[in-house]
Amino acid sequence: MTVSAKTETVNLLNFDRKGLAAFFVEMGEKPFRATQLLKWIYQEDVTDFDQMTNLSKSLRAYLKEHCCITPPEILIEQIASDGTRKWAIEMSCGNRVESVFIPEENRGTLCVSSQIGCALACTFCSTAKQGFNRNLSVAEIIGQLYVAQKRLGEEKRITNVVMMGMGEPLLNFDNVVAAMNLMMDDFTYGLSKRRVTISTSGVVPAMNRLNKECDVSLAVSLHAANDELRNILVPINEKYPLNELMDACREYAKLGPRKYITFEYVMLKGINDSTQDAFALVKLLKNVPSKINLIPFNPFPNSNYNCSSKQTMSRFKDVLYKAGIITTIRKTRGEDIDAACGQLVGKVKDKSRRHLKLQKMDSSNAA
Ligand code: SAH
């Protein structure tokens, strides 16, 4: 973002450490002010500039006049019987996204959205049906982690972030990368790079750029092992077909600690779930260090697909497993609150008024 602090209020949640240091340098301050400020915001939970006692009085006065620390707001909270929590979070202009917290024994994963709606037209995805509205800002992306962690409190730490909510994160590259850099910064949440995962439908040029610019784990939504079917399920495949996608994956896996790529494969009854499909997948991934995550399809109204049976999924898994590929079938979480994968907003949208009435919290509660 441009630094036009003199004329309009700058939301400091829009800066990663580098951006914040540049912001301070431009106003004649030392770059280390950036780490001081990040600590106040993300570690000390202080948003009142007057309380930032290691900043000079004049700097505090300047920040008060020209800057703000404004996170998005939790509008609705739903808690499933398995402890999964879903929040509808209000962004500026009244747009809303949903973030989901999935507690497990040794970790807590937050599923974060990158866009309002989505421009891609994956035929099995409910977000795709809404069309594209806009990119989220850095403040709106990091803000999901900020409000979620605050809401959960100290005893429930968010240890993992997956960019698997609404939107295609690689089509909002700059803001998503800045927000992921912030999440991994030692002066904010200090998440390990192995525990921050970006999921893409396969925007190949952006994957290659990510490879050079940001060190996070990569998940690729594959869903088909041949171009003919993938062109239908994930239409961006027409632009970046499987051979280009696999090249980009091999390149990505070459670097340091990344070791392997996670491939997501949604199980669609009678569409992509035969043993031949499984063998084709093994062949496709032969030279790519891979893990496969089989995702039970989550139906939504007018989705026109069904989920494969348990038996079919486990047969499919066996083929992959016998070929030496680490394969898991994703456990469906938060089913009773529509928090499961692919259910963000879509169907929930029609119901949201009702939920709003039932569950609207007063904002002091949400903080
Ligand atoms: N656009 C990114 C990230 C968002 S979707 C991507 O495509 O990877 C996160 C995951 O949920 C993707 O693997 C997506 O294919 C999957 N998904 C979408 N709709 C689904 C549904 N109805 N059931 C199961 N998985 C779904």
Side-chain angles (χ1 to χ4, degrees), residues 118 120 122 124-126 163-169 199-201 219-221 223 264 266 295-300 330 341-343:
C118 187
L120 303 180
C122 302
F124 54 88
C125 177
S126 63
M163 299 298 306
M164 290 184 189
M166 289 170 70
E168 169 49 53
S199 176
T200 181
S201 55
V220 172
S221 296
H223 309 317
E264 295 156 280
V266 65
I295 312 176
F297 171 66
N298 250 296
F300 51 90
R330 184 179 290 171
C341 194
Q343 294 275 295

PDB file of all heavy atoms in Angstrom, residues 118 120 122 124-126 163-169 199-201 219-221 223 264 266 295-300 330 341-343, ligand 1:
ATOM      1  N   CYS A 118     -15.014 -15.872  -5.156  1.00  0.00           N
ATOM      2  CA  CYS A 118     -13.883 -16.460  -5.883  1.00  0.00           C
ATOM      3  C   CYS A 118     -14.139 -16.328  -7.377  1.00  0.00           C
ATOM      4  O   CYS A 118     -15.263 -16.483  -7.844  1.00  0.00           O
ATOM      5  CB  CYS A 118     -13.726 -17.931  -5.495  1.00  0.00           C
ATOM      6  SG  CYS A 118     -12.229 -18.682  -6.193  1.00  0.00           S
ATOM      7  N   LEU A 120     -12.657 -18.200  -9.623  1.00  0.00           N
ATOM      8  CA  LEU A 120     -12.511 -19.480 -10.315  1.00  0.00           C
ATOM      9  C   LEU A 120     -13.846 -20.221 -10.259  1.00  0.00           C
ATOM     10  O   LEU A 120     -14.656 -19.966  -9.391  1.00  0.00           O
ATOM     11  CB  LEU A 120     -11.397 -20.292  -9.657  1.00  0.00           C
ATOM     12  CG  LEU A 120     -10.054 -19.553  -9.637  1.00  0.00           C
ATOM     13  CD1 LEU A 120      -8.998 -20.399  -8.971  1.00  0.00           C
ATOM     14  CD2 LEU A 120      -9.629 -19.180 -11.050  1.00  0.00           C
ATOM     15  N   CYS A 122     -14.617 -23.641 -10.032  1.00  0.00           N
ATOM     16  CA  CYS A 122     -14.549 -25.075  -9.744  1.00  0.00           C
ATOM     17  C   CYS A 122     -15.981 -25.574  -9.524  1.00  0.00           C
ATOM     18  O   CYS A 122     -16.726 -24.997  -8.718  1.00  0.00           O
ATOM     19  CB  CYS A 122     -13.675 -25.343  -8.517  1.00  0.00           C
ATOM     20  SG  CYS A 122     -11.997 -24.709  -8.725  1.00  0.00           S
ATOM     21  N   PHE A 124     -17.507 -28.016  -8.141  1.00  0.00           N
ATOM     22  CA  PHE A 124     -17.984 -28.692  -6.925  1.00  0.00           C
ATOM     23  C   PHE A 124     -17.901 -27.769  -5.704  1.00  0.00           C
ATOM     24  O   PHE A 124     -18.105 -28.210  -4.578  1.00  0.00           O
ATOM     25  CB  PHE A 124     -17.112 -29.938  -6.665  1.00  0.00           C
ATOM     26  CG  PHE A 124     -15.661 -29.555  -6.613  1.00  0.00           C
ATOM     27  CD1 PHE A 124     -15.079 -29.161  -5.432  1.00  0.00           C
ATOM     28  CD2 PHE A 124     -14.898 -29.513  -7.783  1.00  0.00           C
ATOM     29  CE1 PHE A 124     -13.762 -28.739  -5.392  1.00  0.00           C
ATOM     30  CE2 PHE A 124     -13.580 -29.096  -7.744  1.00  0.00           C
ATOM     31  CZ  PHE A 124     -13.011 -28.702  -6.551  1.00  0.00           C
ATOM     32  N   CYS A 125     -17.578 -26.483  -5.919  1.00  0.00           N
ATOM     33  CA  CYS A 125     -17.280 -25.584  -4.794  1.00  0.00           C
ATOM     34  C   CYS A 125     -18.390 -24.549  -4.610  1.00  0.00           C
ATOM     35  O   CYS A 125     -18.798 -23.893  -5.573  1.00  0.00           O
ATOM     36  CB  CYS A 125     -15.951 -24.882  -5.044  1.00  0.00           C
ATOM     37  SG  CYS A 125     -15.541 -23.682  -3.760  1.00  0.00           S
ATOM     38  N   SER A 126     -18.840 -24.417  -3.362  1.00  0.00           N
ATOM     39  CA  SER A 126     -19.968 -23.496  -3.134  1.00  0.00           C
ATOM     40  C   SER A 126     -19.536 -22.034  -3.220  1.00  0.00           C
ATOM     41  O   SER A 126     -20.328 -21.176  -3.613  1.00  0.00           O
ATOM     42  CB  SER A 126     -20.641 -23.789  -1.792  1.00  0.00           C
ATOM     43  OG  SER A 126     -19.751 -23.580  -0.740  1.00  0.00           O
ATOM     44  N   MET A 163      -4.545 -21.619   4.319  1.00  0.00           N
ATOM     45  CA  MET A 163      -5.262 -20.648   3.473  1.00  0.00           C
ATOM     46  C   MET A 163      -6.217 -21.455   2.591  1.00  0.00           C
ATOM     47  O   MET A 163      -5.991 -21.627   1.396  1.00  0.00           O
ATOM     48  CB  MET A 163      -4.267 -19.834   2.625  1.00  0.00           C
ATOM     49  CG  MET A 163      -3.259 -19.006   3.401  1.00  0.00           C
ATOM     50  SD  MET A 163      -3.960 -17.706   4.448  1.00  0.00           S
ATOM     51  CE  MET A 163      -4.969 -16.806   3.311  1.00  0.00           C
ATOM     52  N   MET A 164      -7.249 -21.979   3.224  1.00  0.00           N
ATOM     53  CA  MET A 164      -8.187 -22.874   2.524  1.00  0.00           C
ATOM     54  C   MET A 164      -9.624 -22.411   2.685  1.00  0.00           C
ATOM     55  O   MET A 164     -10.567 -23.186   2.523  1.00  0.00           O
ATOM     56  CB  MET A 164      -8.065 -24.310   3.064  1.00  0.00           C
ATOM     57  CG  MET A 164      -6.773 -24.994   2.701  1.00  0.00           C
ATOM     58  SD  MET A 164      -6.750 -26.692   3.266  1.00  0.00           S
ATOM     59  CE  MET A 164      -5.041 -27.129   2.931  1.00  0.00           C
ATOM     60  N   GLY A 165      -9.775 -21.152   3.066  1.00  0.00           N
ATOM     61  CA  GLY A 165     -11.135 -20.621   3.180  1.00  0.00           C
ATOM     62  C   GLY A 165     -11.614 -20.147   1.820  1.00  0.00           C
ATOM     63  O   GLY A 165     -11.280 -20.724   0.784  1.00  0.00           O
ATOM     64  N   MET A 166     -12.389 -19.081   1.839  1.00  0.00           N
ATOM     65  CA  MET A 166     -12.915 -18.569   0.568  1.00  0.00           C
ATOM     66  C   MET A 166     -11.812 -17.946  -0.272  1.00  0.00           C
ATOM     67  O   MET A 166     -10.936 -17.254   0.244  1.00  0.00           O
ATOM     68  CB  MET A 166     -13.941 -17.466   0.843  1.00  0.00           C
ATOM     69  CG  MET A 166     -15.232 -17.961   1.427  1.00  0.00           C
ATOM     70  SD  MET A 166     -16.216 -16.568   1.982  1.00  0.00           S
ATOM     71  CE  MET A 166     -16.667 -15.837   0.433  1.00  0.00           C
ATOM     72  N   GLY A 167     -11.901 -18.168  -1.573  1.00  0.00           N
ATOM     73  CA  GLY A 167     -11.020 -17.462  -2.492  1.00  0.00           C
ATOM     74  C   GLY A 167      -9.814 -18.256  -2.948  1.00  0.00           C
ATOM     75  O   GLY A 167      -9.492 -19.317  -2.410  1.00  0.00           O
ATOM     76  N   GLU A 168      -9.151 -17.731  -3.965  1.00  0.00           N
ATOM     77  CA  GLU A 168      -7.912 -18.331  -4.466  1.00  0.00           C
ATOM     78  C   GLU A 168      -6.764 -17.444  -3.980  1.00  0.00           C
ATOM     79  O   GLU A 168      -6.536 -16.353  -4.503  1.00  0.00           O
ATOM     80  CB  GLU A 168      -7.958 -18.409  -6.001  1.00  0.00           C
ATOM     81  CG  GLU A 168      -6.638 -18.757  -6.661  1.00  0.00           C
ATOM     82  CD  GLU A 168      -5.919 -19.971  -6.062  1.00  0.00           C
ATOM     83  OE1 GLU A 168      -6.521 -21.039  -5.940  1.00  0.00           O
ATOM     84  OE2 GLU A 168      -4.728 -19.827  -5.706  1.00  0.00           O
ATOM     85  N   PRO A 169      -6.032 -17.910  -2.950  1.00  0.00           N
ATOM     86  CA  PRO A 169      -5.019 -17.041  -2.336  1.00  0.00           C
ATOM     87  C   PRO A 169      -3.964 -16.528  -3.307  1.00  0.00           C
ATOM     88  O   PRO A 169      -3.496 -15.398  -3.174  1.00  0.00           O
ATOM     89  CB  PRO A 169      -4.401 -17.912  -1.243  1.00  0.00           C
ATOM     90  CG  PRO A 169      -4.940 -19.276  -1.426  1.00  0.00           C
ATOM     91  CD  PRO A 169      -6.163 -19.200  -2.263  1.00  0.00           C
ATOM     92  N   SER A 199      -3.122 -23.014  -0.071  1.00  0.00           N
ATOM     93  CA  SER A 199      -3.745 -23.995  -0.958  1.00  0.00           C
ATOM     94  C   SER A 199      -4.143 -23.307  -2.259  1.00  0.00           C
ATOM     95  O   SER A 199      -4.755 -22.252  -2.248  1.00  0.00           O
ATOM     96  CB  SER A 199      -4.991 -24.571  -0.269  1.00  0.00           C
ATOM     97  OG  SER A 199      -5.679 -25.449  -1.127  1.00  0.00           O
ATOM     98  N   THR A 200      -3.767 -23.915  -3.363  1.00  0.00           N
ATOM     99  CA  THR A 200      -4.084 -23.294  -4.655  1.00  0.00           C
ATOM    100  C   THR A 200      -4.724 -24.291  -5.607  1.00  0.00           C
ATOM    101  O   THR A 200      -4.451 -25.493  -5.558  1.00  0.00           O
ATOM    102  CB  THR A 200      -2.824 -22.696  -5.321  1.00  0.00           C
ATOM    103  OG1 THR A 200      -3.211 -22.094  -6.568  1.00  0.00           O
ATOM    104  CG2 THR A 200      -1.743 -23.742  -5.582  1.00  0.00           C
ATOM    105  N   SER A 201      -5.529 -23.739  -6.488  1.00  0.00           N
ATOM    106  CA  SER A 201      -6.143 -24.563  -7.529  1.00  0.00           C
ATOM    107  C   SER A 201      -5.152 -24.779  -8.675  1.00  0.00           C
ATOM    108  O   SER A 201      -5.452 -25.497  -9.620  1.00  0.00           O
ATOM    109  CB  SER A 201      -7.380 -23.844  -8.047  1.00  0.00           C
ATOM    110  OG  SER A 201      -6.990 -22.551  -8.470  1.00  0.00           O
ATOM    111  N   ALA A 219      -0.185 -26.669  -0.706  1.00  0.00           N
ATOM    112  CA  ALA A 219      -1.190 -27.698  -1.010  1.00  0.00           C
ATOM    113  C   ALA A 219      -1.789 -27.356  -2.367  1.00  0.00           C
ATOM    114  O   ALA A 219      -2.023 -26.190  -2.671  1.00  0.00           O
ATOM    115  CB  ALA A 219      -2.276 -27.719   0.066  1.00  0.00           C
ATOM    116  N   VAL A 220      -1.993 -28.370  -3.173  1.00  0.00           N
ATOM    117  CA  VAL A 220      -2.546 -28.141  -4.512  1.00  0.00           C
ATOM    118  C   VAL A 220      -3.854 -28.920  -4.641  1.00  0.00           C
ATOM    119  O   VAL A 220      -3.912 -30.117  -4.348  1.00  0.00           O
ATOM    120  CB  VAL A 220      -1.536 -28.582  -5.600  1.00  0.00           C
ATOM    121  CG1 VAL A 220      -2.167 -28.523  -6.984  1.00  0.00           C
ATOM    122  CG2 VAL A 220      -0.291 -27.700  -5.552  1.00  0.00           C
ATOM    123  N   SER A 221      -4.887 -28.214  -5.062  1.00  0.00           N
ATOM    124  CA  SER A 221      -6.193 -28.856  -5.242  1.00  0.00           C
ATOM    125  C   SER A 221      -6.199 -29.545  -6.600  1.00  0.00           C
ATOM    126  O   SER A 221      -6.426 -28.905  -7.616  1.00  0.00           O
ATOM    127  CB  SER A 221      -7.294 -27.798  -5.169  1.00  0.00           C
ATOM    128  OG  SER A 221      -7.311 -27.238  -3.875  1.00  0.00           O
ATOM    129  N   HIS A 223      -7.701 -32.980  -7.665  1.00  0.00           N
ATOM    130  CA  HIS A 223      -9.064 -33.480  -7.926  1.00  0.00           C
ATOM    131  C   HIS A 223      -9.232 -34.338  -9.188  1.00  0.00           C
ATOM    132  O   HIS A 223     -10.279 -34.952  -9.365  1.00  0.00           O
ATOM    133  CB  HIS A 223     -10.080 -32.338  -7.964  1.00  0.00           C
ATOM    134  CG  HIS A 223     -10.016 -31.427  -6.782  1.00  0.00           C
ATOM    135  ND1 HIS A 223      -9.867 -31.892  -5.497  1.00  0.00           N
ATOM    136  CD2 HIS A 223     -10.073 -30.074  -6.677  1.00  0.00           C
ATOM    137  CE1 HIS A 223      -9.843 -30.867  -4.659  1.00  0.00           C
ATOM    138  NE2 HIS A 223      -9.952 -29.758  -5.347  1.00  0.00           N
ATOM    139  N   GLU A 264      -4.682 -32.130  -2.623  1.00  0.00           N
ATOM    140  CA  GLU A 264      -6.050 -32.334  -2.165  1.00  0.00           C
ATOM    141  C   GLU A 264      -6.842 -32.968  -3.317  1.00  0.00           C
ATOM    142  O   GLU A 264      -6.694 -32.565  -4.483  1.00  0.00           O
ATOM    143  CB  GLU A 264      -6.674 -30.987  -1.783  1.00  0.00           C
ATOM    144  CG  GLU A 264      -5.992 -30.343  -0.593  1.00  0.00           C
ATOM    145  CD  GLU A 264      -6.178 -28.836  -0.571  1.00  0.00           C
ATOM    146  OE1 GLU A 264      -5.439 -28.137  -1.305  1.00  0.00           O
ATOM    147  OE2 GLU A 264      -7.061 -28.368   0.144  1.00  0.00           O
ATOM    148  N   VAL A 266     -10.763 -34.172  -3.961  1.00  0.00           N
ATOM    149  CA  VAL A 266     -12.136 -34.282  -3.455  1.00  0.00           C
ATOM    150  C   VAL A 266     -12.785 -35.527  -4.057  1.00  0.00           C
ATOM    151  O   VAL A 266     -12.658 -35.789  -5.262  1.00  0.00           O
ATOM    152  CB  VAL A 266     -12.937 -32.989  -3.759  1.00  0.00           C
ATOM    153  CG1 VAL A 266     -13.137 -32.765  -5.241  1.00  0.00           C
ATOM    154  CG2 VAL A 266     -14.278 -32.987  -3.036  1.00  0.00           C
ATOM    155  N   ILE A 295     -10.458 -35.715   0.240  1.00  0.00           N
ATOM    156  CA  ILE A 295     -11.472 -34.920   0.941  1.00  0.00           C
ATOM    157  C   ILE A 295     -12.860 -35.448   0.586  1.00  0.00           C
ATOM    158  O   ILE A 295     -13.240 -35.423  -0.590  1.00  0.00           O
ATOM    159  CB  ILE A 295     -11.421 -33.427   0.518  1.00  0.00           C
ATOM    160  CG1 ILE A 295      -9.986 -32.898   0.541  1.00  0.00           C
ATOM    161  CG2 ILE A 295     -12.320 -32.589   1.389  1.00  0.00           C
ATOM    162  CD1 ILE A 295      -9.865 -31.452   0.037  1.00  0.00           C
ATOM    163  N   PRO A 296     -13.601 -35.921   1.580  1.00  0.00           N
ATOM    164  CA  PRO A 296     -14.984 -36.313   1.276  1.00  0.00           C
ATOM    165  C   PRO A 296     -15.739 -35.093   0.745  1.00  0.00           C
ATOM    166  O   PRO A 296     -15.687 -34.023   1.362  1.00  0.00           O
ATOM    167  CB  PRO A 296     -15.543 -36.748   2.639  1.00  0.00           C
ATOM    168  CG  PRO A 296     -14.342 -37.013   3.492  1.00  0.00           C
ATOM    169  CD  PRO A 296     -13.255 -36.099   2.999  1.00  0.00           C
ATOM    170  N   PHE A 297     -16.397 -35.240  -0.387  1.00  0.00           N
ATOM    171  CA  PHE A 297     -17.145 -34.108  -0.953  1.00  0.00           C
ATOM    172  C   PHE A 297     -18.260 -33.700   0.001  1.00  0.00           C
ATOM    173  O   PHE A 297     -18.967 -34.520   0.549  1.00  0.00           O
ATOM    174  CB  PHE A 297     -17.746 -34.506  -2.310  1.00  0.00           C
ATOM    175  CG  PHE A 297     -18.698 -33.483  -2.836  1.00  0.00           C
ATOM    176  CD1 PHE A 297     -18.250 -32.220  -3.196  1.00  0.00           C
ATOM    177  CD2 PHE A 297     -20.064 -33.771  -2.959  1.00  0.00           C
ATOM    178  CE1 PHE A 297     -19.141 -31.248  -3.666  1.00  0.00           C
ATOM    179  CE2 PHE A 297     -20.949 -32.823  -3.436  1.00  0.00           C
ATOM    180  CZ  PHE A 297     -20.491 -31.557  -3.787  1.00  0.00           C
ATOM    181  N   ASN A 298     -18.385 -32.401   0.178  1.00  0.00           N
ATOM    182  CA  ASN A 298     -19.454 -31.857   1.008  1.00  0.00           C
ATOM    183  C   ASN A 298     -20.557 -31.302   0.135  1.00  0.00           C
ATOM    184  O   ASN A 298     -20.379 -30.250  -0.471  1.00  0.00           O
ATOM    185  CB  ASN A 298     -18.892 -30.702   1.829  1.00  0.00           C
ATOM    186  CG  ASN A 298     -18.823 -31.108   3.256  1.00  0.00           C
ATOM    187  OD1 ASN A 298     -19.840 -31.354   3.886  1.00  0.00           O
ATOM    188  ND2 ASN A 298     -17.605 -31.187   3.751  1.00  0.00           N
ATOM    189  N   PRO A 299     -21.679 -31.971   0.084  1.00  0.00           N
ATOM    190  CA  PRO A 299     -22.731 -31.493  -0.826  1.00  0.00           C
ATOM    191  C   PRO A 299     -23.356 -30.188  -0.331  1.00  0.00           C
ATOM    192  O   PRO A 299     -23.320 -29.891   0.863  1.00  0.00           O
ATOM    193  CB  PRO A 299     -23.757 -32.627  -0.804  1.00  0.00           C
ATOM    194  CG  PRO A 299     -23.381 -33.535   0.294  1.00  0.00           C
ATOM    195  CD  PRO A 299     -22.043 -33.176   0.833  1.00  0.00           C
ATOM    196  N   PHE A 300     -23.860 -29.403  -1.233  1.00  0.00           N
ATOM    197  CA  PHE A 300     -24.612 -28.191  -0.887  1.00  0.00           C
ATOM    198  C   PHE A 300     -25.774 -28.112  -1.875  1.00  0.00           C
ATOM    199  O   PHE A 300     -25.770 -28.839  -2.886  1.00  0.00           O
ATOM    200  CB  PHE A 300     -23.692 -26.949  -0.945  1.00  0.00           C
ATOM    201  CG  PHE A 300     -22.911 -26.818  -2.223  1.00  0.00           C
ATOM    202  CD1 PHE A 300     -23.417 -26.122  -3.306  1.00  0.00           C
ATOM    203  CD2 PHE A 300     -21.658 -27.407  -2.357  1.00  0.00           C
ATOM    204  CE1 PHE A 300     -22.705 -26.013  -4.489  1.00  0.00           C
ATOM    205  CE2 PHE A 300     -20.932 -27.314  -3.538  1.00  0.00           C
ATOM    206  CZ  PHE A 300     -21.465 -26.600  -4.608  1.00  0.00           C
ATOM    207  N   ARG A 330      -9.527 -37.058   4.828  1.00  0.00           N
ATOM    208  CA  ARG A 330      -9.779 -35.962   5.778  1.00  0.00           C
ATOM    209  C   ARG A 330     -11.027 -36.256   6.613  1.00  0.00           C
ATOM    210  O   ARG A 330     -12.063 -36.634   6.080  1.00  0.00           O
ATOM    211  CB  ARG A 330      -9.961 -34.643   5.032  1.00  0.00           C
ATOM    212  CG  ARG A 330     -10.125 -33.474   5.998  1.00  0.00           C
ATOM    213  CD  ARG A 330     -10.288 -32.171   5.285  1.00  0.00           C
ATOM    214  NE  ARG A 330      -9.047 -31.757   4.637  1.00  0.00           N
ATOM    215  CZ  ARG A 330      -8.987 -30.725   3.789  1.00  0.00           C
ATOM    216  NH1 ARG A 330     -10.062 -30.045   3.505  1.00  0.00           N
ATOM    217  NH2 ARG A 330      -7.838 -30.388   3.231  1.00  0.00           N
ATOM    218  N   CYS A 341     -15.267 -28.310   4.954  1.00  0.00           N
ATOM    219  CA  CYS A 341     -14.620 -27.773   3.772  1.00  0.00           C
ATOM    220  C   CYS A 341     -15.578 -27.514   2.612  1.00  0.00           C
ATOM    221  O   CYS A 341     -16.415 -28.342   2.289  1.00  0.00           O
ATOM    222  CB  CYS A 341     -13.595 -28.817   3.349  1.00  0.00           C
ATOM    223  SG  CYS A 341     -12.463 -28.187   2.193  1.00  0.00           S
ATOM    224  N   GLY A 342     -15.434 -26.368   1.997  1.00  0.00           N
ATOM    225  CA  GLY A 342     -16.267 -26.051   0.843  1.00  0.00           C
ATOM    226  C   GLY A 342     -17.625 -25.486   1.220  1.00  0.00           C
ATOM    227  O   GLY A 342     -18.436 -25.171   0.366  1.00  0.00           O
ATOM    228  N   GLN A 343     -17.875 -25.358   2.513  1.00  0.00           N
ATOM    229  CA  GLN A 343     -19.192 -24.892   2.949  1.00  0.00           C
ATOM    230  C   GLN A 343     -19.160 -23.443   3.419  1.00  0.00           C
ATOM    231  O   GLN A 343     -20.127 -22.951   3.972  1.00  0.00           O
ATOM    232  CB  GLN A 343     -19.688 -25.757   4.117  1.00  0.00           C
ATOM    233  CG  GLN A 343     -19.952 -27.186   3.723  1.00  0.00           C
ATOM    234  CD  GLN A 343     -21.325 -27.363   3.142  1.00  0.00           C
ATOM    235  OE1 GLN A 343     -22.310 -27.177   3.820  1.00  0.00           O
ATOM    236  NE2 GLN A 343     -21.384 -27.679   1.877  1.00  0.00           N
TER     237      GLN A 343
HETATM  238  N1  SAH B   1      -8.826 -21.810  -3.936  1.00  0.00           N
HETATM  239  C1  SAH B   1      -7.978 -22.591  -3.126  1.00  0.00           C
HETATM  240  C2  SAH B   1      -8.312 -22.624  -1.645  1.00  0.00           C
HETATM  241  C3  SAH B   1      -9.761 -22.675  -1.230  1.00  0.00           C
HETATM  242  S1  SAH B   1     -10.674 -24.164  -1.320  1.00  0.00           S
HETATM  243  C4  SAH B   1      -7.894 -24.004  -3.674  1.00  0.00           C
HETATM  244  O1  SAH B   1      -8.564 -24.303  -4.658  1.00  0.00           O
HETATM  245  O2  SAH B   1      -7.089 -24.779  -3.178  1.00  0.00           O
HETATM  246  C5  SAH B   1      -9.966 -25.272  -0.159  1.00  0.00           C
HETATM  247  C6  SAH B   1     -10.185 -26.741  -0.559  1.00  0.00           C
HETATM  248  O3  SAH B   1     -11.559 -27.129  -0.436  1.00  0.00           O
HETATM  249  C7  SAH B   1      -9.812 -27.012  -1.996  1.00  0.00           C
HETATM  250  O4  SAH B   1      -9.069 -28.200  -2.113  1.00  0.00           O
HETATM  251  C8  SAH B   1     -11.157 -27.164  -2.652  1.00  0.00           C
HETATM  252  O5  SAH B   1     -11.060 -27.867  -3.848  1.00  0.00           O
HETATM  253  C9  SAH B   1     -11.940 -27.868  -1.575  1.00  0.00           C
HETATM  254  N2  SAH B   1     -13.403 -27.827  -1.733  1.00  0.00           N
HETATM  255  C10 SAH B   1     -14.140 -26.848  -2.288  1.00  0.00           C
HETATM  256  N3  SAH B   1     -15.443 -27.172  -2.267  1.00  0.00           N
HETATM  257  C11 SAH B   1     -15.537 -28.380  -1.686  1.00  0.00           C
HETATM  258  C12 SAH B   1     -16.644 -29.253  -1.352  1.00  0.00           C
HETATM  259  N4  SAH B   1     -17.901 -28.913  -1.615  1.00  0.00           N
HETATM  260  N5  SAH B   1     -16.362 -30.404  -0.732  1.00  0.00           N
HETATM  261  C13 SAH B   1     -15.083 -30.740  -0.427  1.00  0.00           C
HETATM  262  N6  SAH B   1     -14.015 -29.962  -0.704  1.00  0.00           N
HETATM  263  C14 SAH B   1     -14.241 -28.804  -1.336  1.00  0.00           C
END
